[in-house]
Amino acid sequence: MAILAQENVGIRDNKILDQWNIPVGEWVDQAVDWIDQNLEWLLDIIKWPFDRLLNLFVEDFLVDWVGWIWAVLALFILGSLVRNVKVGAQAAIALAGCGLLGAAYWEETIRTIGMVLVAVLLCAVIGIPIGILCGRFDGVWKVVRPTLDAMQVVHAFVYMLPIIFFFSIGPVPATMVTMIFALPPLIRLTNLGIRQVPGDVVEASRAYGAPELRVLFDVQLPLARPAIMTGLNQTLLLAISMIGIAAIMGAGGLGRLVFRAVQNLDTGLAASAGLALFLVAVILDRISQPEDGDGGNLTSRIRQAWAHRQDVAPLLSEPDRSKSEGSTTPGFVPAAPQEAQGIYIAMAGAALGIVSVFLTWGKDSGLLSAYSRRSDESELVGQSFSGLDATGGSFYGIFVLVGALFILAAGATTLFSPGRGPRFLSADTAMKAAGAMLFAALGYLIIDPSDLVEAYSDGVGVYVAVLAGMAAFVGCYLWVQTAPYAAVTPLKPAIGYGRLFGGAVALLLVGIAMVSGWTFDKREDVVITPEIQAEIDQLTQEA
């Protein structure tokens, strides 16, 4: 008080707070030091499952051992078993697209998927049992609920700092922060699912003498399964939204590439890494969606997950089945002779297209690779390449093959199981595939080889592919004209902002493709003269 009197500081002056301040920061600093010195064993126990899963499952298994083709095939099988064949095929194509960006992008893509899966797995191991306890015991829920509120109200950067203090930076602490942020929805939805099980059903099982474990595993958990699956999906979406913060903490994956691109203003890296990150998010979201949760795009679903982090009840609203109540599934008649004739022509063209990709498309050199590889100018003379070879048809042949396989699948479905196959295996989509076949073959045929390559000549395979595309297109046209069932896609009353955004992105990519170079010359002697090389050598020596 004597000091205050000397400085003439009154009780209403803000400076008086410096004399009565509470040293919270010093207390926390001392607590952190004490925990580091005395509870190192506890920190190692907490760190162990994250460290082992990230090293064994992500780095050693996914990144180093699993090849890209096996990962794509496994995702297709997983998506087909968990959801359906359509979702599995879409997920596999999207994952293959991430790999086609380059080997470095593929490794970061697999690393990102592994980190998210590890975080969600640990959330499930911790969150589902806690949610079950909260649903069965009100006392547990009264204790856990304030903790969940604090985990969701406090920003991730706040609890990111103590984790960095205890565990440094890297994939392990980044996965911990992701798990803490994404855990509450799973606990809330599991608790809500257990509590929404009808009480008379539970009492009936107990009346018949079922013990509590049988009541839990045979009654409550099966009936609460939709809520638990929704909780896992919401947890996955929130984990995906934390990839950027994980990159700031030193984690690997696509978030690190995006963070590096932003720091270095690298537009190309940002576009490629952003596209791969978007595809990964779509893949994980599509596979983890509940059976009746196909509605909504990725952006709207992530926004919905953020908006309902505390009030999760709206996420379990029942879908509107009023339109389907009382309706009967119509019968599907077999294909009429005239329709079957168009199908047979289209399938014959598709079969011919499959044969064409294994025939010779290019001889004595590569049509597309000749623009960039010196070896194509002389070392490939006397050799021939099929439509699937990198120096042959390359992606043109792949488009022909995929379109032909799709037409065969659509035709076989219509002929042998009408009305029981997927809706996309229909006449109109088969016609689109036939158009892709035809234009891919024509596109390869009209491309001129490099002027530096004189030995190149087209093979018979590309001409067969053009004829196959024409036949398939004519057959699909006849098929569409005589098909009794048209695609039923009624207009939705709401504006599809996701489709508008996707269309805008597609137009942007088409515009970029129109002004971009499609070939990159790897032959330095074509553009580097002896004078330029001497200057490069001088600059290198000075550096």
Side-chain angles (χ1 to χ4, degrees), residues 346 431 434-435 438-439 468-478:
M431 189 171 183
L438 179 59
F439 284 106
M470 292 181 178
F473 190 82
V474 171
C476 289
Y477 176 79
L478 297 176

mmCIF file with all atom_site columns, all heavy atoms in Angstrom, residues 346 431 434-435 438-439 468-478:
data_model
loop_
_atom_site.group_PDB
_atom_site.id
_atom_site.type_symbol
_atom_site.label_atom_id
_atom_site.label_alt_id
_atom_site.label_comp_id
_atom_site.label_asym_id
_atom_site.label_entity_id
_atom_site.label_seq_id
_atom_site.pdbx_PDB_ins_code
_atom_site.Cartn_x
_atom_site.Cartn_y
_atom_site.Cartn_z
_atom_site.occupancy
_atom_site.B_iso_or_equiv
_atom_site.pdbx_formal_charge
_atom_site.auth_seq_id
_atom_site.auth_comp_id
_atom_site.auth_asym_id
_atom_site.auth_atom_id
_atom_site.pdbx_PDB_model_num
ATOM 1   N N   . ALA A 1 346 ? -24.922 -52.742 -79.790 1.00 0.00 ? 346 ALA A N   1
ATOM 2   C CA  . ALA A 1 346 ? -24.058 -51.987 -78.888 1.00 0.00 ? 346 ALA A CA  1
ATOM 3   C C   . ALA A 1 346 ? -23.062 -52.904 -78.181 1.00 0.00 ? 346 ALA A C   1
ATOM 4   O O   . ALA A 1 346 ? -21.871 -52.566 -78.051 1.00 0.00 ? 346 ALA A O   1
ATOM 5   C CB  . ALA A 1 346 ? -24.899 -51.241 -77.857 1.00 0.00 ? 346 ALA A CB  1
ATOM 6   N N   . MET A 1 431 ? -25.213 -44.908 -73.819 1.00 0.00 ? 431 MET A N   1
ATOM 7   C CA  . MET A 1 431 ? -24.960 -44.074 -74.991 1.00 0.00 ? 431 MET A CA  1
ATOM 8   C C   . MET A 1 431 ? -23.841 -43.071 -74.712 1.00 0.00 ? 431 MET A C   1
ATOM 9   O O   . MET A 1 431 ? -23.019 -42.769 -75.594 1.00 0.00 ? 431 MET A O   1
ATOM 10  C CB  . MET A 1 431 ? -26.242 -43.360 -75.401 1.00 0.00 ? 431 MET A CB  1
ATOM 11  C CG  . MET A 1 431 ? -26.141 -42.636 -76.727 1.00 0.00 ? 431 MET A CG  1
ATOM 12  S SD  . MET A 1 431 ? -27.734 -42.031 -77.289 1.00 0.00 ? 431 MET A SD  1
ATOM 13  C CE  . MET A 1 431 ? -27.250 -41.332 -78.878 1.00 0.00 ? 431 MET A CE  1
ATOM 14  N N   . ALA A 1 434 ? -20.676 -44.970 -75.053 1.00 0.00 ? 434 ALA A N   1
ATOM 15  C CA  . ALA A 1 434 ? -20.347 -45.194 -76.461 1.00 0.00 ? 434 ALA A CA  1
ATOM 16  C C   . ALA A 1 434 ? -19.771 -43.929 -77.089 1.00 0.00 ? 434 ALA A C   1
ATOM 17  O O   . ALA A 1 434 ? -18.815 -43.995 -77.892 1.00 0.00 ? 434 ALA A O   1
ATOM 18  C CB  . ALA A 1 434 ? -21.601 -45.639 -77.220 1.00 0.00 ? 434 ALA A CB  1
ATOM 19  N N   . GLY A 1 435 ? -20.326 -42.765 -76.742 1.00 0.00 ? 435 GLY A N   1
ATOM 20  C CA  . GLY A 1 435 ? -19.754 -41.518 -77.235 1.00 0.00 ? 435 GLY A CA  1
ATOM 21  C C   . GLY A 1 435 ? -18.340 -41.306 -76.742 1.00 0.00 ? 435 GLY A C   1
ATOM 22  O O   . GLY A 1 435 ? -17.469 -40.831 -77.496 1.00 0.00 ? 435 GLY A O   1
ATOM 23  N N   . LEU A 1 438 ? -16.043 -43.522 -78.845 1.00 0.00 ? 438 LEU A N   1
ATOM 24  C CA  . LEU A 1 438 ? -15.843 -43.016 -80.204 1.00 0.00 ? 438 LEU A CA  1
ATOM 25  C C   . LEU A 1 438 ? -14.927 -41.800 -80.220 1.00 0.00 ? 438 LEU A C   1
ATOM 26  O O   . LEU A 1 438 ? -13.979 -41.726 -81.020 1.00 0.00 ? 438 LEU A O   1
ATOM 27  C CB  . LEU A 1 438 ? -17.198 -42.680 -80.827 1.00 0.00 ? 438 LEU A CB  1
ATOM 28  C CG  . LEU A 1 438 ? -17.172 -42.103 -82.248 1.00 0.00 ? 438 LEU A CG  1
ATOM 29  C CD1 . LEU A 1 438 ? -16.493 -43.070 -83.199 1.00 0.00 ? 438 LEU A CD1 1
ATOM 30  C CD2 . LEU A 1 438 ? -18.585 -41.778 -82.713 1.00 0.00 ? 438 LEU A CD2 1
ATOM 31  N N   . PHE A 1 439 ? -15.173 -40.850 -79.344 1.00 0.00 ? 439 PHE A N   1
ATOM 32  C CA  . PHE A 1 439 ? -14.364 -39.630 -79.348 1.00 0.00 ? 439 PHE A CA  1
ATOM 33  C C   . PHE A 1 439 ? -12.943 -39.891 -78.860 1.00 0.00 ? 439 PHE A C   1
ATOM 34  O O   . PHE A 1 439 ? -12.002 -39.215 -79.303 1.00 0.00 ? 439 PHE A O   1
ATOM 35  C CB  . PHE A 1 439 ? -15.044 -38.560 -78.502 1.00 0.00 ? 439 PHE A CB  1
ATOM 36  C CG  . PHE A 1 439 ? -16.218 -37.921 -79.176 1.00 0.00 ? 439 PHE A CG  1
ATOM 37  C CD1 . PHE A 1 439 ? -17.505 -38.212 -78.783 1.00 0.00 ? 439 PHE A CD1 1
ATOM 38  C CD2 . PHE A 1 439 ? -16.034 -37.043 -80.236 1.00 0.00 ? 439 PHE A CD2 1
ATOM 39  C CE1 . PHE A 1 439 ? -18.597 -37.638 -79.405 1.00 0.00 ? 439 PHE A CE1 1
ATOM 40  C CE2 . PHE A 1 439 ? -17.122 -36.463 -80.871 1.00 0.00 ? 439 PHE A CE2 1
ATOM 41  C CZ  . PHE A 1 439 ? -18.416 -36.752 -80.466 1.00 0.00 ? 439 PHE A CZ  1
ATOM 42  N N   . ALA A 1 468 ? -15.491 -49.732 -83.736 1.00 0.00 ? 468 ALA A N   1
ATOM 43  C CA  . ALA A 1 468 ? -16.212 -50.242 -82.569 1.00 0.00 ? 468 ALA A CA  1
ATOM 44  C C   . ALA A 1 468 ? -17.017 -49.136 -81.901 1.00 0.00 ? 468 ALA A C   1
ATOM 45  O O   . ALA A 1 468 ? -18.172 -49.351 -81.487 1.00 0.00 ? 468 ALA A O   1
ATOM 46  C CB  . ALA A 1 468 ? -15.224 -50.853 -81.580 1.00 0.00 ? 468 ALA A CB  1
ATOM 47  N N   . GLY A 1 469 ? -16.438 -47.939 -81.792 1.00 0.00 ? 469 GLY A N   1
ATOM 48  C CA  . GLY A 1 469 ? -17.162 -46.830 -81.210 1.00 0.00 ? 469 GLY A CA  1
ATOM 49  C C   . GLY A 1 469 ? -18.377 -46.444 -82.032 1.00 0.00 ? 469 GLY A C   1
ATOM 50  O O   . GLY A 1 469 ? -19.445 -46.144 -81.481 1.00 0.00 ? 469 GLY A O   1
ATOM 51  N N   . MET A 1 470 ? -18.243 -46.447 -83.359 1.00 0.00 ? 470 MET A N   1
ATOM 52  C CA  . MET A 1 470 ? -19.388 -46.138 -84.222 1.00 0.00 ? 470 MET A CA  1
ATOM 53  C C   . MET A 1 470 ? -20.497 -47.166 -84.050 1.00 0.00 ? 470 MET A C   1
ATOM 54  O O   . MET A 1 470 ? -21.683 -46.820 -83.925 1.00 0.00 ? 470 MET A O   1
ATOM 55  C CB  . MET A 1 470 ? -18.938 -46.081 -85.674 1.00 0.00 ? 470 MET A CB  1
ATOM 56  C CG  . MET A 1 470 ? -18.033 -44.910 -86.002 1.00 0.00 ? 470 MET A CG  1
ATOM 57  S SD  . MET A 1 470 ? -17.566 -44.923 -87.755 1.00 0.00 ? 470 MET A SD  1
ATOM 58  C CE  . MET A 1 470 ? -16.583 -43.429 -87.853 1.00 0.00 ? 470 MET A CE  1
ATOM 59  N N   . ALA A 1 471 ? -20.116 -48.454 -84.042 1.00 0.00 ? 471 ALA A N   1
ATOM 60  C CA  . ALA A 1 471 ? -21.119 -49.506 -83.895 1.00 0.00 ? 471 ALA A CA  1
ATOM 61  C C   . ALA A 1 471 ? -21.816 -49.413 -82.540 1.00 0.00 ? 471 ALA A C   1
ATOM 62  O O   . ALA A 1 471 ? -23.045 -49.531 -82.435 1.00 0.00 ? 471 ALA A O   1
ATOM 63  C CB  . ALA A 1 471 ? -20.462 -50.878 -84.062 1.00 0.00 ? 471 ALA A CB  1
ATOM 64  N N   . ALA A 1 472 ? -21.037 -49.184 -81.480 1.00 0.00 ? 472 ALA A N   1
ATOM 65  C CA  . ALA A 1 472 ? -21.638 -49.073 -80.156 1.00 0.00 ? 472 ALA A CA  1
ATOM 66  C C   . ALA A 1 472 ? -22.552 -47.858 -80.072 1.00 0.00 ? 472 ALA A C   1
ATOM 67  O O   . ALA A 1 472 ? -23.629 -47.917 -79.462 1.00 0.00 ? 472 ALA A O   1
ATOM 68  C CB  . ALA A 1 472 ? -20.537 -48.991 -79.094 1.00 0.00 ? 472 ALA A CB  1
ATOM 69  N N   . PHE A 1 473 ? -22.164 -46.755 -80.708 1.00 0.00 ? 473 PHE A N   1
ATOM 70  C CA  . PHE A 1 473 ? -22.988 -45.543 -80.655 1.00 0.00 ? 473 PHE A CA  1
ATOM 71  C C   . PHE A 1 473 ? -24.310 -45.750 -81.400 1.00 0.00 ? 473 PHE A C   1
ATOM 72  O O   . PHE A 1 473 ? -25.377 -45.357 -80.924 1.00 0.00 ? 473 PHE A O   1
ATOM 73  C CB  . PHE A 1 473 ? -22.214 -44.367 -81.252 1.00 0.00 ? 473 PHE A CB  1
ATOM 74  C CG  . PHE A 1 473 ? -22.865 -43.040 -81.037 1.00 0.00 ? 473 PHE A CG  1
ATOM 75  C CD1 . PHE A 1 473 ? -22.701 -42.358 -79.847 1.00 0.00 ? 473 PHE A CD1 1
ATOM 76  C CD2 . PHE A 1 473 ? -23.654 -42.471 -82.016 1.00 0.00 ? 473 PHE A CD2 1
ATOM 77  C CE1 . PHE A 1 473 ? -23.308 -41.131 -79.636 1.00 0.00 ? 473 PHE A CE1 1
ATOM 78  C CE2 . PHE A 1 473 ? -24.271 -41.250 -81.822 1.00 0.00 ? 473 PHE A CE2 1
ATOM 79  C CZ  . PHE A 1 473 ? -24.096 -40.579 -80.618 1.00 0.00 ? 473 PHE A CZ  1
ATOM 80  N N   . VAL A 1 474 ? -24.238 -46.390 -82.585 1.00 0.00 ? 474 VAL A N   1
ATOM 81  C CA  . VAL A 1 474 ? -25.462 -46.664 -83.345 1.00 0.00 ? 474 VAL A CA  1
ATOM 82  C C   . VAL A 1 474 ? -26.371 -47.610 -82.568 1.00 0.00 ? 474 VAL A C   1
ATOM 83  O O   . VAL A 1 474 ? -27.603 -47.409 -82.481 1.00 0.00 ? 474 VAL A O   1
ATOM 84  C CB  . VAL A 1 474 ? -25.112 -47.238 -84.727 1.00 0.00 ? 474 VAL A CB  1
ATOM 85  C CG1 . VAL A 1 474 ? -26.367 -47.735 -85.445 1.00 0.00 ? 474 VAL A CG1 1
ATOM 86  C CG2 . VAL A 1 474 ? -24.407 -46.186 -85.570 1.00 0.00 ? 474 VAL A CG2 1
ATOM 87  N N   . GLY A 1 475 ? -25.785 -48.664 -81.994 1.00 0.00 ? 475 GLY A N   1
ATOM 88  C CA  . GLY A 1 475 ? -26.589 -49.604 -81.218 1.00 0.00 ? 475 GLY A CA  1
ATOM 89  C C   . GLY A 1 475 ? -27.242 -48.942 -80.019 1.00 0.00 ? 475 GLY A C   1
ATOM 90  O O   . GLY A 1 475 ? -28.422 -49.175 -79.730 1.00 0.00 ? 475 GLY A O   1
ATOM 91  N N   . CYS A 1 476 ? -26.487 -48.090 -79.306 1.00 0.00 ? 476 CYS A N   1
ATOM 92  C CA  . CYS A 1 476 ? -27.062 -47.400 -78.150 1.00 0.00 ? 476 CYS A CA  1
ATOM 93  C C   . CYS A 1 476 ? -28.139 -46.407 -78.591 1.00 0.00 ? 476 CYS A C   1
ATOM 94  O O   . CYS A 1 476 ? -29.130 -46.195 -77.865 1.00 0.00 ? 476 CYS A O   1
ATOM 95  C CB  . CYS A 1 476 ? -25.961 -46.681 -77.370 1.00 0.00 ? 476 CYS A CB  1
ATOM 96  S SG  . CYS A 1 476 ? -24.846 -47.785 -76.473 1.00 0.00 ? 476 CYS A SG  1
ATOM 97  N N   . TYR A 1 477 ? -27.980 -45.794 -79.760 1.00 0.00 ? 477 TYR A N   1
ATOM 98  C CA  . TYR A 1 477 ? -29.012 -44.883 -80.252 1.00 0.00 ? 477 TYR A CA  1
ATOM 99  C C   . TYR A 1 477 ? -30.315 -45.640 -80.512 1.00 0.00 ? 477 TYR A C   1
ATOM 100 O O   . TYR A 1 477 ? -31.400 -45.195 -80.119 1.00 0.00 ? 477 TYR A O   1
ATOM 101 C CB  . TYR A 1 477 ? -28.520 -44.189 -81.521 1.00 0.00 ? 477 TYR A CB  1
ATOM 102 C CG  . TYR A 1 477 ? -29.561 -43.290 -82.151 1.00 0.00 ? 477 TYR A CG  1
ATOM 103 C CD1 . TYR A 1 477 ? -29.809 -42.024 -81.636 1.00 0.00 ? 477 TYR A CD1 1
ATOM 104 C CD2 . TYR A 1 477 ? -30.290 -43.720 -83.257 1.00 0.00 ? 477 TYR A CD2 1
ATOM 105 C CE1 . TYR A 1 477 ? -30.774 -41.204 -82.206 1.00 0.00 ? 477 TYR A CE1 1
ATOM 106 C CE2 . TYR A 1 477 ? -31.257 -42.906 -83.835 1.00 0.00 ? 477 TYR A CE2 1
ATOM 107 C CZ  . TYR A 1 477 ? -31.489 -41.652 -83.306 1.00 0.00 ? 477 TYR A CZ  1
ATOM 108 O OH  . TYR A 1 477 ? -32.442 -40.845 -83.874 1.00 0.00 ? 477 TYR A OH  1
ATOM 109 N N   . LEU A 1 478 ? -30.210 -46.801 -81.158 1.00 0.00 ? 478 LEU A N   1
ATOM 110 C CA  . LEU A 1 478 ? -31.408 -47.615 -81.372 1.00 0.00 ? 478 LEU A CA  1
ATOM 111 C C   . LEU A 1 478 ? -31.990 -48.097 -80.045 1.00 0.00 ? 478 LEU A C   1
ATOM 112 O O   . LEU A 1 478 ? -33.223 -48.179 -79.882 1.00 0.00 ? 478 LEU A O   1
ATOM 113 C CB  . LEU A 1 478 ? -31.062 -48.811 -82.264 1.00 0.00 ? 478 LEU A CB  1
ATOM 114 C CG  . LEU A 1 478 ? -30.582 -48.486 -83.684 1.00 0.00 ? 478 LEU A CG  1
ATOM 115 C CD1 . LEU A 1 478 ? -30.180 -49.759 -84.403 1.00 0.00 ? 478 LEU A CD1 1
ATOM 116 C CD2 . LEU A 1 478 ? -31.663 -47.738 -84.449 1.00 0.00 ? 478 LEU A CD2 1
#
